[in-house]
Amino acid sequence: MQLVRQNEETAPKATRARSGKRAALRATAAALAAAALATGCAAGSDDAVKPAPGQQALNAPPARALDSYATRLKAEQAHRAAAARRWGLAKVPLAAPAPPAKKPVITPRKGFEVDDQAALGLPPVFTTIPTKHRIVFLTIDDGADKDPRFLKMMSDLKIPYTAFLTDAEVKPGYGYFKKAQNLGITLNNHTLRHPYLPGLSYARQKHEICGMQDVIEKKYGKRPTLFRPPFGDYNQDTLKAAKACGIKYAPIWNAEAFVDRMDYREWDRDIHPGDIILTHFRGRKDWNGTMPDMIRTFMKYVTGKGYAVARLEDYL
């Protein structure tokens, strides 16, 4: 078979016409591109494209919001760093993550249930909040020591805590805990006189718990939903009485902070994500130190282990 190659002379006229049109279009496009480059990049032109001089202003609303949030976080961190130095902390306390949008389901710790717990809908007794975050919850009992420096320290450092008050220890210093409440601290129930509740009748237990509900409502304007049994001891009547008084949760603790040490419930002698930590309103009369001394010891410990302190009520 003989192959025939058409050249410009032997090609049909229609084919030569189409080729000519394509060449003309390519020439026109090249001319336009050259003109654009000459206009945009000409030396001394007011419309020249210039390099970005650096970080540009964030003009779009979402960008401004993000910039404002980052600036606020930076300012808060600087404030915490200054407060840490002022209160004698070697490291700045870690900031807790934002509270969960969906609260975790709280159930009684295994082995801490009472008879008919679920059937009677009794408040759960628990020592840990279900979470994967490296956070713990600081709770402080009774109200005996009322050190004003402690309130200032916790406010400066932005360390949250939950108070469980006993009326016999709080009075006549109700005003001290009103200041704590004004600083965002929730005041909860630890009975009127701190008795061993399982040794009392149902009626007397209810008097201890409901009586303290009345005191807190009268002095601080709101009935608590959290109750901690003295010594962590309770029975079915305790939880039935607590429920009758409007209590929803009965948190106890998984570790305890002192001015000079930590004590633990678990065999590994350590803290874990979501652990509730107990301490007390105590001073030099009971400890070899003050409440700020205890916080320094506690924060050195938890920060060194990579934990932040979160607010218990945000998870309930």
Side-chain angles (χ1 to χ4, degrees):
M1 181 182 295
Q2 182 178 6
L3 294 177
V4 179
R5 179 178 295 175
Q6 289 184 331
N7 57 25
E8 194 68 25
E9 293 180 354
T10 60
K13 292 183 179 180
T15 302
R16 292 200 301 272
R18 286 196 295 273
S19 298
K21 288 181 181 179
R22 285 198 294 270
L25 287 173
R26 285 196 295 270
T28 301
L32 289 173
L37 288 171
T39 303
C41 300
S45 171
D46 291 338
D47 296 328
V49 178
K50 300 175 182 178
Q55 183 173 341
Q56 303 298 301
L58 299 174
N59 295 319
R64 284 201 304 271
L66 287 173
D67 188 44
S68 175
Y69 176 69
T71 300
R72 189 176 80 249
L73 286 182
K74 186 176 180 180
E76 289 175 356
Q77 183 66 9
H79 174 85
R80 288 166 70 89
R85 290 192 297 270
R86 188 163 57 250
W87 287 102
L89 298 181
K91 293 183 179 180
V92 180
L94 299 174
K102 183 178 180 181
K103 308 295 185 186
V105 176
I106 306 298
T107 57
R109 175 170 169 158
K110 187 174 182 179
F112 286 56
E113 309 94 334
V114 297
D115 290 343
D116 300 321
Q117 173 95 42
L120 295 173
L122 301 179
V125 176
F126 53 100
T127 63
T128 302
I129 296 289
T131 180
K132 294 181 180 179
H133 293 295
R134 291 178 72 83
I135 55 174
V136 293
F137 303 93
L138 181 62
T139 62
I140 311 180
D141 281 8
D142 64 48
D145 189 76
K146 304 169 184 66
D147 187 341
R149 294 175 304 149
F150 170 74
L151 296 183
K152 176 65 173 170
M153 181 183 195
M154 300 301 270
S155 177
D156 284 353
L157 293 170
K158 308 299 183 188
I159 300 173
Y161 62 97
T162 299
F164 289 90
L165 303 182
T166 297
D167 192 48
E169 300 287 359
V170 170
K171 62 182 181 183
Y174 292 120
Y176 177 85
F177 293 98
K178 184 63 178 178
K179 292 178 182 177
Q181 184 185 45
N182 291 340
L183 291 170
I185 303 306
T186 304
L187 308 178
N188 295 292
N189 191 324
H190 199 42
T191 71
L192 290 171
R193 289 178 290 273
H194 205 276
Y196 174 69
L197 289 174
L200 303 180
S201 67
Y202 171 79
R204 291 182 64 190
Q205 291 196 56
K206 186 177 179 183
H207 170 73
E208 282 286 336
I209 300 169
C210 285
M212 193 58 192
Q213 293 286 85
D214 295 340
V215 168
I216 293 177
E217 182 178 33
K218 179 180 178 180
K219 297 295 182 181
Y220 305 112
K222 187 176 181 180
R223 295 177 77 81
T225 58
L226 275 62
F227 159 70
R228 173 171 284 164
F231 315 108
D233 292 323
Y234 59 95
N235 58 15
Q236 187 193 62
D237 279 349
T238 307
L239 299 184
K240 288 172 65 177
K243 180 182 178 181
C245 298
I247 297 298
K248 295 182 179 180
Y249 301 99
I252 50 176
W253 61 90
N254 218 31
E256 183 171 0
F258 294 89
V259 74
D260 57 353
R261 70 183 194 280
M262 294 284 296
D263 281 351
Y264 309 89
R265 185 183 298 275
E266 306 297 346
W267 65 269
D268 60 358
R269 298 187 58 77
D270 202 355
I271 56 174
H272 316 86
D275 274 357
I276 298 170
I277 312 297
L278 164 68
T279 192
H280 291 81
F281 288 97
R282 294 285 187 269
R284 292 193 182 279
K285 186 173 69 173
D286 301 290
W287 285 344
N288 185 27
T290 64
M291 290 289 287
D293 292 334
M294 180 274 296
I295 292 298
R296 275 187 283 272
T297 300
F298 173 69
M299 292 310 302
K300 178 181 178 181
Y301 174 79
V302 298
T303 305
K305 284 183 168 286
Y307 281 79
V309 179
R311 184 174 179 268
L312 179 60
E313 291 81 0
D314 289 339
Y315 288 75
L316 299 176

